[in-house]
Amino acid sequence: MATNDVPLTMEENERMTVAGTLRTATISVLLIVGLAGCAPEPAVAEGAPQSPAIEPADSPQLPPAAATTFVSVIDGDTIETSEGTVRIIGIDTPERGQCGYDEAAMQIGYQLSSGDSLTLALPPGQNDTDRHGRLLRYVTTNAGIDLGMMQLESGYALARYDSWDGYPAHPNEEAYRSAQLASLDAAGAVITTSCQSGAPQPVAPTAGDRWWEQFSSCTKLKKNTAGFPVGPFNRDDPAQAEAYEWFAYGTGNNGDGDGDGLACE
C-alpha cells in the first residue's frame, strides 16, 4: 500500500478539522470587512437637521447688556443708576452754565422717572470707564429708546468721543454721526439747535401748561420772576402732584431730599 494511502489517525483527523474551521472563519471575517469598507455613505434625508455652521471669525459681536434701575439725571449725557454713574457712549451735551444745558438734562427727565428699568450695554473694544471713573455704556429705556440717539435727534447732543476723535470705535457711531443736528463752536462747546444763531426761541409757558418743566431745579424755580409758584409742592395734593414728581425725581436734583413728601421747601 502506498504511503499516502495510509489511513489517518483519529488525532490527525481532529487537527485537520480544526484547521479547516479556522480557515473558513478567517475568510468570512475578511469578506465582512471588505464589504463594509465598500458600503456607500448613508443618504441624508431631505430636511434632516444639519450640523451647525461654524461662525466666521469676524462675525459682529452683540454688546453684553445688563439690566439696571434709573436713579436721577446728572446732565444731558450722564445719569445715575443702581449700577453707578453712567456716561452715555458717543455723545456730548452742553456743560453746566452753557446754553442748552437745562434742556438736554430735562429731555432725559421726560423719558425716565426714578426706579424705571434701563438696559446698559458695553460694546466690544470700548473702555469700561472714563477717566472720571464713570461707566461708559449705551443706555436704552424699557420702551426701547436709545438715549444717545434721542439726544442727537432732538438737537441737544453732538456725536463725539468715537473713532473719529481718536477714541475706541463703537457700533453706532456712523448712525450717531448721521443723526446729529447740534454743532460745535470754535471753543469746542456744543451748540444745540435751540441755541444756534437764528433759531426760534422757546415761548414761555402759560400757567395752564406744564410750566414747571422749564426749571431744572428748585433753586432755579425760586429765582423765577414770571410769577410761577416756588413751592413747596405736596405729593398728596392732586393739583401739585405732577410738579412734585418733576422736582423730586425728574430733574435729577432730588427736590425732596428729606423724603417728607414736599418738594422745593
Side-chain angles (χ1 to χ4, degrees):
M1 181 178 294
T3 302
N4 56 1
D5 290 331
V6 176
L8 299 174
T9 66
M10 184 179 296
E11 183 179 349
E12 289 173 331
N13 276 323
E14 288 178 354
R15 284 200 300 269
M16 291 181 67
T17 301
V18 170
T21 302
L22 290 173
R23 284 196 298 273
T24 301
T26 302
I27 292 170
S28 298
V29 170
L30 292 173
L31 286 172
I32 291 171
V33 171
L35 289 172
C38 298
E41 292 289 334
V44 179
E46 185 175 354
Q50 303 294 313
S51 298
I54 298 175
E55 290 289 335
D58 58 351
S59 294
Q61 300 180 39
L62 295 177
T68 188
T69 302
F70 173 74
V71 175
S72 62
V73 180
I74 295 178
D75 57 30
D77 53 36
T78 311
I79 61 173
E80 193 67 37
T81 76
S82 58
E83 294 295 313
T85 305
V86 175
R87 177 65 163 79
I88 301 172
I89 288 174
I91 68 167
D92 190 23
T93 58
E95 302 299 327
R96 187 180 297 276
Q98 294 178 343
C99 181
Y101 172 86
D102 291 343
E103 292 88 343
M106 286 191 289
Q107 183 71 1
I108 294 179
Y110 292 147
Q111 300 296 330
L112 295 168
S113 296
S114 181
D116 284 353
S117 296
L118 292 173
T119 299
L120 305 180
L122 176 65
Q126 275 287 316
N127 297 321
D128 182 56
T129 59
D130 66 6
R131 60 191 179 91
H132 301 293
R134 301 174 297 187
L135 298 172
L136 293 171
R137 298 290 188 272
Y138 286 141
V139 182
T140 307
T141 71
N142 223 21
I145 298 172
D146 175 351
L147 292 188
M149 181 63 79
M150 176 194 74
Q151 293 290 57
L152 291 162
E153 292 179 335
S154 300
Y156 294 127
L158 196 72
R160 210 171 183 187
Y161 306 123
D162 54 26
S163 65
W164 293 38
D165 301 325
Y167 291 82
H170 66 89
N172 291 346
E173 66 179 47
E174 294 296 334
Y176 278 16
R177 291 271 173 174
S178 298
Q180 74 177 24
L181 299 174
S183 59
L184 199 64
D185 71 8
V190 178
I191 307 300
T192 67
T193 52
S194 60
C195 298
Q196 290 171 2
S197 177
Q201 297 303 305
V203 178
T206 65
D209 294 328
R210 295 174 63 86
W211 54 266
W212 52 86
E213 292 182 351
Q214 67 180 300
F215 301 103
S216 60
S217 69
C218 293
T219 300
K220 291 183 178 180
L221 170 66
K222 292 182 183 300
K223 292 179 180 178
N224 92 85
T225 58
F228 292 117
V230 296
F233 303 102
N234 191 332
R235 69 183 173 197
D236 298 323
D237 183 342
Q240 301 178 23
E242 288 185 303
Y244 169 85
E245 289 290 324
W246 174 251
F247 290 110
Y249 306 116
T251 67
N253 288 290
N254 194 14
D256 183 13
D258 56 7
D260 64 353
L262 297 175
C264 300
E265 293 179 89

